[in-house]
Amino acid sequence: MIGRLIRQLLRVKAAPGGEPLRRALALQMEGRHADAERLARSALAGNSDDPEALNVLAAALCAQGRAREGIAHLRRITEINPDAAHARANLATVLAATGDIDGAIENYGRALALEPARAEWAEQLARLLKFFGRYDDAERCARTALEAGAATPGLRQALANALFEQGRVDEAVAEARAALARNPDSPAVHSDLVRMLNYADGPDPAAIHREHMAWGERHSLPLEHAAVPHGNEPDPARKLRVGFVSPYFRKHAMNFFFESTVEYLDRSRFEVVLYADVAQPDEYSRRLQGYGVLWRNTVGAADARLAQLVREDGVDILVDLSGHTPGNRLLAFARRAAPVQVTWNGYPNTTGMTAMDYRVTDAYCDPPGRTEHLHSERLARLPRIFMTWRPPTDAPAVAPLPALGSKRVTFGSFNSCYKITPTVVALWARVLAAVPDSRLMLVTIVAGAAEHRIRDLFAAHGVGAERLEILPRMTHEEFLAVHARADIALDPYPYHGTTTTCFSLWMGLPVVSLAGTTHVSRVGVSLLSNVGLPDFVARDADHYVEIARCTAADLPALAALRADLRRQLLASPLADGRAGARALESAFREMWSAWCSRKRGPHVHNS
């Protein structure tokens, strides 16, 4: 934040007091913030309303952690000159960093009203709006700046992400490609593109694989070639140090699939290091730390520094938990931070990197012989399920089946709108047609373009508004509670639910899922098979409709299943965290033994 603020500083004029301010700026860039503060205050002694001096002083104060004082000086500049666009943008930057998001949005907006072609301001504003779920506003912000001539890759990327969150995946992919064309060396822009391709309607697995491999070739391979060998002791039987890398060691969906692993990994055989890009640790972070791990705060550390830290820690196996999701650290893995590198849990596809040795999965998600050619990694299949899930402790009790009282079946989808493709809308419309008087409740769909898109898609299949209930994003507690109003959950396609499927099962709702050909469209196969509901996995669209129709037709059986489903899940491999940890340990040990064999090379025996 401070670096951006300094870059945004107004140029110091060659006027009385100009030289001290130029010197103050130089000191600021050298990190001598207290000296810069003294020079700025000296300049203000002759003119207390000098905007350049106030700006430099504000930057120096913020750099020393005195943001409140800095904000007061930035506000003073806007009072002296309400049309000072740079001052507005500087103020917005600091307000955003200190948590005053409404103030940041207001001041970025006022700055852009004065200078609409300022791409960096528009990017920041669009990202803030997107982060707080104002996707339509984020789209308008980006388009306005683009129309004003601010056609930068970052702005295109911001627009792509706003469109994606509205569920307009094809448009988002087109904007991401435009951003990448303007900045082909940006790994983050390229990661956005490959991530979005997983959600495309009518996906081409081979084309998606090629794009992932292109990411690896452009961004990872040059770093892989420069990596130096590791000095870890190649003993296959010794205690291993395993590191996990993520920005989500906090209250996040990933942790529901990770916490039991940390708890149950055998500490006599494995040490655990968590490399945490977590700016604001919470109760979940503290719980993870309580399992006897080494916690490394990596916020702000460059990828090269993270890779160096992993080497200094002597990590034997390093595990990526993010894939190509935002905030990933794949370029640390590209530097060959550890002898054995693994991707698991957080992304349903290949990384495209030859530096990533393994991808952990299971035979349901990646049937042997069917998806190896779509991966740069070797597939390490766990024997039952590729990751286990820990139920939430704050979930309400399972409610009675609502259809018994209403005498009509309510289907529910609890997935984000970018998973709701035209293909799955057509499928769900067939389900509604097959079950007369039924309705569909769609949760976590924001008002505006996202809702309009979905209503229009259903209307094209003859589904009227009276059969749809569309609910916005809500708190975690509200999200769990709203399951009480649905009878049967419908899995999207091609990108299956994962956390949402587990939550639905925990709240007593069976989930109807359509099996595809790749991991992204087979997660439901793994979850439902492991929890004892393989009959809810459809082999094709007709079968999907038939499963939904038959389930809806037998309400007593559905009510009995609902009442027993939580017990059934707890008794299943999905919730067996201890067994999941043992399976992962075995996989890690095999990976390590393979590396040791390569490291030691062939043995020559003398007769």
Side-chain angles (χ1 to χ4, degrees):
M1 181 275 290
I2 297 303
R4 188 185 309 129
L5 176 59
I6 294 171
R7 290 193 300 272
Q8 289 178 357
L9 285 170
L10 292 169
R11 294 178 179 175
V12 180
K13 299 177 182 177
E19 183 56 38
L21 290 183
R22 277 192 289 273
R23 177 60 182 152
L25 277 174
L27 291 169
Q28 183 80 315
M29 299 304 292
E30 294 171 9
R32 296 170 59 184
H33 307 304
D35 292 336
E37 177 190 350
R38 282 192 291 272
L39 278 176
R41 290 193 185 280
S42 176
L44 284 168
N47 179 5
S48 62
D49 286 341
D50 182 341
E52 284 83 2
L54 287 167
N55 223 4
V56 175
L57 176 58
L61 291 167
C62 290
Q64 296 175 77
R66 295 153 63 187
R68 192 179 300 275
E69 295 175 68
I71 288 170
H73 293 296
L74 291 171
R75 289 195 188 280
R76 178 58 185 154
I77 301 171
T78 63
E79 292 168 1
I80 296 167
N81 182 4
D83 293 334
H86 279 81
R88 291 279 178 196
N90 291 349
L91 176 58
T93 300
V94 182
L95 291 172
T98 55
D100 184 357
I101 303 304
D102 290 337
I105 289 172
E106 176 192 354
N107 280 281
Y108 272 133
R110 294 182 69 173
L112 284 166
L114 294 163
E115 297 187 27
R118 288 284 181 176
E120 185 176 1
W121 304 346
E123 289 171 31
Q124 295 305 319
L125 178 55
R127 289 190 176 107
L128 283 175
L129 292 167
K130 180 247 176 186
F131 183 80
F132 284 92
R134 294 171 57 180
Y135 307 128
D136 294 10
D137 290 338
E139 179 190 357
R140 277 191 292 271
C141 171
R143 290 197 187 280
T144 299
L146 287 167
E147 290 166 3
T152 63
L155 200 53
R156 291 278 183 196
Q157 185 185 19
L159 176 57
N161 280 292
L163 294 169
F164 179 77
E165 294 291 347
Q166 296 171 10
R168 296 155 65 184
V169 176
D170 289 346
E171 295 175 69
V173 167
E175 288 296 340
R177 289 195 186 281
L180 187 61
R182 285 178 166 270
N183 189 6
D185 294 324
S186 171
V189 173
H190 206 166
S191 278
D192 271 354
L193 172 61
V194 299
R195 172 177 56 88
M196 291 174 183
L197 288 173
N198 291 298
Y199 299 84
D201 202 22
D204 180 346
I208 295 172
H209 169 66
R210 286 194 297 271
E211 196 68 67
H212 281 78
M213 296 302 292
W215 188 97
E217 182 176 353
R218 175 173 287 276
H219 308 294
S220 178
L221 203 57
L223 297 171
E224 296 174 30
H225 288 159
V228 298
H230 297 89
N232 302 54
E233 181 187 0
D235 178 357
R238 69 173 175 82
K239 187 175 185 178
L240 299 179
R241 177 166 278 197
V242 181
F244 297 90
V245 182
S246 177
Y248 301 125
F249 295 134
R250 52 180 174 79
K251 188 174 184 178
H252 185 272
M254 186 277 294
N255 261 327
F256 287 100
F257 296 95
F258 180 69
E259 183 179 351
S260 60
T261 298
V262 176
E263 179 178 4
Y264 291 122
L265 275 178
D266 185 351
R267 293 303 191 274
S268 70
R269 303 174 66 212
F270 297 90
E271 293 180 277
V272 176
V273 188
L274 302 186
Y275 295 94
D277 281 340
V278 181
Q280 296 180 318
D282 59 13
E283 60 177 304
Y284 287 77
S285 311
R286 290 184 285 275
R287 206 156 66 204
L288 290 174
Q289 293 177 62
Y291 293 124
V293 304
L294 178 61
W295 178 275
R296 294 292 199 192
N297 182 353
T298 55
V299 174
D303 292 317
R305 173 56 189 147
L306 173 57
Q308 180 185 2
L309 180 61
V310 172
R311 283 179 175 264
E312 291 171 353
D313 285 341
V315 168
D316 301 302
I317 300 174
L318 189 66
V319 185
D320 158 59
L321 299 173
S322 301
H324 284 283
T325 58
N328 72 72
R329 290 307 201 111
L330 292 180
L331 293 186
F333 287 80
R335 291 171 165 85
R336 270 287 173 191
V340 176
Q341 302 193 139
V342 185
T343 185
W344 173 58
N345 184 311
Y347 187 68
N349 210 326
T350 183
T351 61
M353 302 166 59
T354 56
M356 197 70 75
D357 303 300
Y358 298 92
R359 181 167 175 272
V360 175
T361 183
D362 63 34
Y364 294 104
C365 291
D366 290 282
R370 287 172 56 179
T371 61
E372 283 84 352
H373 65 291
L374 299 175
H375 291 84
S376 61
E377 308 87 359
R378 181 178 178 181
L379 295 180
R381 295 180 178 87
L382 300 190
R384 294 193 293 181
I385 190 168
F386 71 106
M387 58 185 184
T388 56
W389 184 72
R390 172 161 290 180
T393 58
D394 55 354
V398 175
L401 188 74
L404 292 176
S406 66
K407 304 305 180 184
R408 66 177 184 183
V409 169
T410 297
F411 296 98
S413 168
F414 304 87
N415 293 269
S416 297
C417 66
Y418 41 77
K419 290 188 179 182
I420 302 179
T421 63
T423 294
V424 84
V425 167
L427 184 57
W428 290 348
R430 288 183 59 191
V431 169
L432 293 175
V435 183
D437 201 34
S438 63
R439 64 174 188 158
L440 175 60
M441 180 174 68
L442 301 170
V443 182
T444 76
I445 310 300
V446 296
E451 180 179 345
H452 293 320
R453 180 187 74 90
I454 289 173
R455 289 193 181 278
D456 288 346
L457 286 171
F458 276 101
H461 293 280
V463 177
E466 73 282 358
R467 300 191 72 180
L468 297 175
E469 182 180 10
I470 297 182
L471 301 176
R473 288 188 174 179
M474 52 190 68
T475 67
H476 173 69
E477 293 74 20
E478 292 169 337
F479 176 80
L480 291 174
V482 81
H483 284 74
R485 296 169 52 192
D487 302 289
I488 303 166
L490 300 178
D491 205 8
Y493 186 88
Y495 200 122
H496 284 183
T498 306
T499 310
T500 50
T501 295
C502 293
F503 280 140
S504 292
L505 294 172
W506 187 245
M507 298 310 300
L509 280 69
V511 181
V512 183
S513 188
L514 173 59
T517 59
T518 60
H519 186 110
V520 71
S521 58
R522 295 188 61 83
V523 172
V525 182
S526 181
L527 298 176
L528 292 170
S529 297
N530 274 284
V531 86
L533 297 175
D535 291 344
F536 283 85
V537 178
R539 60 183 174 270
D540 55 32
D542 290 342
H543 190 206
Y544 187 103
V545 175
E546 184 63 11
I547 292 171
R549 187 192 67 78
C550 292
T551 304
D554 191 346
L555 295 185
L558 182 57
L561 176 60
R562 186 184 186 96
D564 190 55
L565 197 46
R566 190 170 283 190
R567 181 207 60 78
Q568 187 171 329
L569 189 156
L570 282 175
S572 77
L574 176 58
D576 192 346
R578 190 181 299 275
R582 296 290 88 79
L584 196 60
E585 287 173 2
S586 296
F588 285 162
R589 189 59 66 177
E590 290 179 13
M591 296 172 189
W592 180 248
S593 295
W595 182 83
C596 290
S597 296
R598 293 192 300 272
K599 179 73 171 179
R600 291 179 300 186
H603 294 280
V604 177
H605 299 279
N606 296 322
S607 57

